[in-house]
Every structure is written in structure tokens, then in C-alpha cells.
């Protein structure tokens, strides 16, 4: 990849981790669990959606626990920062965000990381957790950032090997 590669050849990956207040089969988690299928279906059909992680044989990734036994992960890829922003904050997903404190612990460090990937690349959970760890250790950069500290795909490409 060179600096002349067009930014359109890149998509935005996102990882979000959430520490459960209760096990998913606890009645206090029922409202969240009942929202999973409709919210995932809305994401799948949202403009700019590319891909999301699912566990084999299931419609979501809540059974995967790569970060800790009480931590669930959401990993997805979007055509642009704007597409992800619109889904996150301008759709029915916002209702889940408003209620998240009932289901998830408040994180004291970054719980979401964004980064640019070549179009067609599907990030692994290990890659995603490394990006989150990088963000936590070094702060926002073209390698891993947040909505509030966004970097462009062009910055990623121009940032040298450390930005990849």
C-alpha cells in the first residue's frame, strides 16, 4: 500500500467492549438480549454497513469472550466514519446506548477503538483487541482512535509503518 492508494479503498473497523453487570441469562439483562436481534438486523441493513463478527452458528458474538469472561465484544466494519456514526447515534441503536448503564459497567479506560482497514479485510478479534490496547496505552493516533479523535484513512496511509 502506498500513500497514493485512494482512501475509498479503505473501510472503518470498530471494536466495542462491554463489561456485563449480570450474566446474559439473568432476567435483568432481558431487555438488552431482546434488543440484540433487531439492532443487529438494523445494522446489517444500514447504509454503509460492511460486516460484523458473529459466532459460528449464532446471529451475534455475545458468546465470544476473548477479553474476559464477563466482557462481550462488538466488532464490525463500515464504509465510512459517517456511516458508523449515523447508525450508532441516529438510529434505533441510540435507545440501547441510552440504557447501557443498566446492563454494562462504566469503563475507566477506552472501551471502543476505530481504525482503517483495506476494503475487503475482516479484522480478527486479536487484531481488534491489539488496537484497543494501543489506544489505551498511547492515546489516539491513526493506528487506533475514537469518534472524538478521528483520523482519516489518508492519515493512516501517510503515517508510515507505525500507523498500519
Amino acid at each position: 500500500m502506498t500513500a497514493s492508494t485512494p482512501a475509498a479503498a479503505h473501510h472503518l473497523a470498530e471494536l466495542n467492549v462491554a463489561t456485563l453487570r449480570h450474566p446474559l441469562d439473568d432476567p435483568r439483562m432481558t431487555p438488552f438480549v431482546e434488543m440484540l436481534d433487531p439492532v443487529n438486523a438494523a445494522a446489517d441493513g444500514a447504509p454503509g454497513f460492511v460486516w460484523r463478527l458473529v459466532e459460528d452458528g449464532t446471529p451475534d458474538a455475545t458468546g465470544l469472550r476473548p477479553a474476559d469472561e464477563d466482557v462481550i465484544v462488538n466488532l464490525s466494519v463500515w464504509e465510512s466514519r459517517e456511516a458508523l456514526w449515523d447508525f450508532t447515534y441516529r438510529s434505533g441503536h441510540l435507545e440501547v446506548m441510552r440504557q447501557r448503564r443498566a446492563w454494562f459497567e462504566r469503563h475507566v479506560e477506552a472501551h471502543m477503538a476505530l481504525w482503517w482497514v483495506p476494503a475487503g479485510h475482516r479484522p480478527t478479534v486479536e487484531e481488534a483487541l491489539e488496537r484497543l490496547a494501543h489506544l489505551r496505552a498511547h492515546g489516539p493516533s491513526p493506528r487506533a482512535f475514537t469518534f472524538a479523535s478521528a483520523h482519516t484513512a489518508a492519515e493512516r496511509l501517510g503515517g508510515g509503518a507505525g500507523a498500519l
Side-chain angles (χ1 to χ4, degrees):
M1 229 178 288
T2 67
S4 63
T5 304
H10 287 80
H11 290 153
L12 186 70
E14 72 80 29
L15 171 71
N16 184 19
V17 297
T19 303
L20 298 167
R21 288 188 177 272
H22 315 284
L24 286 177
D25 60 358
D26 185 296
R28 293 171 284 191
M29 296 298 290
T30 299
F32 170 74
V33 172
E34 288 176 346
M35 286 188 207
L36 280 172
D37 286 344
V39 169
N40 285 334
D44 293 350
F49 172 81
V50 175
W51 170 87
R52 70 180 167 85
L53 177 69
V54 296
E55 185 179 11
D56 288 340
T58 70
D60 60 51
T62 57
L64 300 174
R65 304 296 169 92
D68 200 349
E69 190 54 37
D70 62 346
V71 176
I72 59 174
V73 298
N74 175 293
L75 175 59
S76 63
V77 176
W78 295 79
E79 290 179 354
S80 67
R81 178 187 176 279
E82 294 75 21
L84 175 57
W85 176 271
D86 286 346
F87 172 73
T88 303
Y89 297 107
R90 295 189 176 122
S91 75
H93 180 266
L94 185 58
E95 186 57 32
V96 176
M97 297 285 292
R98 287 183 176 135
Q99 297 180 52
R100 69 186 179 275
R101 295 291 166 246
W103 308 312
F104 307 113
E105 300 290 342
R106 181 179 297 273
H107 286 265
V108 294
E109 54 189 352
H111 62 90
M112 183 179 89
L114 306 174
W115 69 101
W116 294 102
V117 298
H121 176 71
R122 301 298 176 256
T124 65
V125 173
E126 294 77 17
E127 174 188 348
L129 291 172
E130 185 281 323
R131 297 292 177 140
L132 180 61
H134 184 84
L135 177 64
R136 288 174 172 175
H138 305 288
S141 71
R143 182 164 182 76
F145 51 90
T146 66
F147 277 126
S149 62
H151 289 267
T152 66
E155 288 173 306
R156 175 195 179 271
L157 296 171
L164 298 176

